[in-house]
């Protein structure tokens, strides 16, 4: 009876050992599979970013021709494109909340191309009209505002410049101007940008945008906001 009991204990020990060994092997196998899957997803993400950067850069260059704009606006694709730009820009800013890494040329180029396409579309009268009437115009303006509010980064200099030019182009259209003037905090943001920006070109575009916003007779409130935000040199005595 005692011998049988010893065998039972030994069997339980062996079973426990093999169970632990089997479980460990499965765990290692699962970890290896997860690592492989993560690597594949990373490669796929890099490929998609590279392909997106190339395609959007080509489209950005094509949109520099004004006669191409009506063709881009035809159909329903551009209606879907505007929220894609907003979502991509917001995701990009959220992902790189802190200091941006150096090896992110494709990501930057992809986002640059998207914003550049919007800038070129807004540079034409038909494009401005289309963007201003879009139900996503307000969201796009807010996304650009979030971008402009970001602290200085060498990776964002050109991106911010395109955003300011896009907003200026929109302001030429009456409906676009209405969207801009109704965007809370935009004027204080622009006056702040004017005070901290070192690039003369960026300051010039910001001034042009501010001038466009306050040039309408009914925008007295915005004019006062600009006066409060911009420090003007006192007259010489």
């Amino acid at each position: 009876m005692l011998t049988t009991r010893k065998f039972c204990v030994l069997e339980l020990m062996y079973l426990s050992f093999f169970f632990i060994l089997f479980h460990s092997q499965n765990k290692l196998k699962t970890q290896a599979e997860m690592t492989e899957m993560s690597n594949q997803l990373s490669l796929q993400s890099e490929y998609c970013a590279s392909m997106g950067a190339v395609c959007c850069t080509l489209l950005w260059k094509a949109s520099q021709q004004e006669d191409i704009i009506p063709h881009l606006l035809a159909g329903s694709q551009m209606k879907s494109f505007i929220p894609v730009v907003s979502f991509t820009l917001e995701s990009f800013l959220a992902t790189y909340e802190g200091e941006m890494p150096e090896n992110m040329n494709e990501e930057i180029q992809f986002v640059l191309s998207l914003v550049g396409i919007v800038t070129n579309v807004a540079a034409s009268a038909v494009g401005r009209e289309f963007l201003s009437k879009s139900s996503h115009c307000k969201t796009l303006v807010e996304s650009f505002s979030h971008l402009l509010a970001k602290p200085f980064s060498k990776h964002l200099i050109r991106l911010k410049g395109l955003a300011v030019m896009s907003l200026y182009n929109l302001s030429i259209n009456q409906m676009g101007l209405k969207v801009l003037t109704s965007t809370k905090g935009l004027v204080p943001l622009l006056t702040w940008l004017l005070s901290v920006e070192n690039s003369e070109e960026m300051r010039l575009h910001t001034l042009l945008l501010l001038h466009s916003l306050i040039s309408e007779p009914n925008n007295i409130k915005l004019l006062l906001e600009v006066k409060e935000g911009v420090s003007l040199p006192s007259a010489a005595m």
Side-chain angles (χ1 to χ4, degrees), residues 8-10 25-26 29 31 36 42 73 81 89 91-93 103 135 137 139 141 148 153 175 185 214 222:
C8 289
V9 172
L10 288 173
Q25 289 177 339
N26 278 350
K29 183 179 179 181
Q31 289 177 343
E36 178 64 21
S42 179
L73 301 180
F81 178 76
L89 181 57
S91 298
F92 174 78
L93 295 175
N103 56 341
S135 59
C137 184
T139 304
V141 171
L148 296 177
S153 170
M175 292 185 65
I214 64 177
L222 296 182

Side-chain angles (χ1 to χ4, degrees), residues 59 61-74 126:
L59 186 57
K61 291 182 178 179
S63 65
Q64 293 175 1
Q65 305 298 321
E66 190 170 350
D67 57 340
I68 296 294
I69 303 301
H71 298 286
L72 294 179
L73 301 180
V126 63

Side-chain angles (χ1 to χ4, degrees), residues 12-124:
L12 287 173
M13 290 176 62
Y14 281 126
L15 286 173
S16 299
F17 172 75
F18 284 116
F19 175 78
I20 294 172
L21 181 62
F22 177 76
H23 180 70
S24 299
Q25 289 177 339
N26 278 350
K27 187 176 181 180
L28 290 173
K29 183 179 179 181
T30 302
Q31 289 177 343
E33 290 175 349
M34 290 180 65
T35 301
E36 178 64 21
M37 186 179 298
S38 177
N39 291 336
Q40 290 179 359
L41 287 173
S42 179
L43 289 173
Q44 187 175 12
S45 177
E46 291 176 4
Y47 171 75
C48 290
S50 177
M51 182 176 64
V54 171
C55 293
C56 286
T57 299
L58 292 174
L59 186 57
W60 183 12
K61 291 182 178 179
S63 65
Q64 293 175 1
Q65 305 298 321
E66 190 170 350
D67 57 340
I68 296 294
I69 303 301
H71 298 286
L72 294 179
L73 301 180
S76 60
Q77 284 77 15
M78 186 56 72
K79 293 180 180 179
S80 303
F81 178 76
I82 300 173
V84 166
V85 175
S86 297
F87 177 79
T88 304
L89 181 57
E90 294 284 5
S91 298
F92 174 78
L93 295 175
T95 301
Y96 300 104
E97 184 69 29
E99 184 63 26
M100 297 187 180
E102 294 295 330
N103 56 341
M104 54 176 299
N105 294 332
E106 290 179 343
E107 289 89 342
I108 280 285
Q109 185 60 37
F110 178 51
V111 179
L112 267 175
S113 301
L114 291 176
V115 178
I117 293 168
V118 173
T119 305
N120 289 342
V121 169
S124 70

